[in-house]
Amino acid sequence: MRMAPGTFAVDPEPSGPPYVLDGSSGLLIESGPSGTVVLNPGDGIGLEPHPDLALRRGHCCGMDGEWGPNLVCTCGAVIATVYSDCYQVQELRLQPDAVERCG
């Protein structure tokens, strides 16, 4: 797990798809939104799997988030990506345009 339960961080780097070719390394790199809010996967209270089965894909243990946001709010708004498969860091990332800072 990247984040302890009840904690969060804002990642200034691009996260998730689309993936673009990095000219200097020749590798695919993440170019998704910057400023995602990173949480412990267990802190996603009230979030539900995306209704589109293609976005909920994963491998043996959970969802991999490779196709982008895979969780929705109970109102249906696309809000987060959970990375919960065994081959990756376990984390929940809230879309920066779907959250509002309070306080």
Side-chain angles (χ1 to χ4, degrees):
M1 304 272 172
R2 185 179 305 264
M3 300 301 300
T7 65
F8 76 95
V10 177
D11 186 355
E13 297 297 320
S15 174
Y19 300 96
V20 297
L21 188 62
D22 178 53
S24 62
S25 70
L27 300 173
L28 287 177
I29 58 171
E30 299 176 62
S31 70
S34 299
T36 55
V37 179
V38 186
L39 306 171
N40 181 284
D43 290 341
I45 299 167
L47 300 180
E48 301 173 353
H50 197 289
D52 184 343
L53 290 175
L55 293 176
R56 287 191 265 161
R57 77 179 199 90
H59 294 342
C60 62
C61 299
M63 291 192 277
D64 63 15
E66 296 299 318
W67 295 101
N70 54 18
L71 296 176
V72 297
C73 179
T74 55
C75 70
V78 177
I79 192 168
T81 305
V82 66
Y83 299 89
S84 59
D85 214 338
C86 59
Y87 74 93
Q88 58 196 172
V89 173
Q90 311 286 296
E91 63 186 13
L92 173 71
R93 288 182 174 258
L94 300 174
Q95 295 297 110
D97 61 350
V99 295
E100 182 177 313
R101 186 177 186 128
C102 297

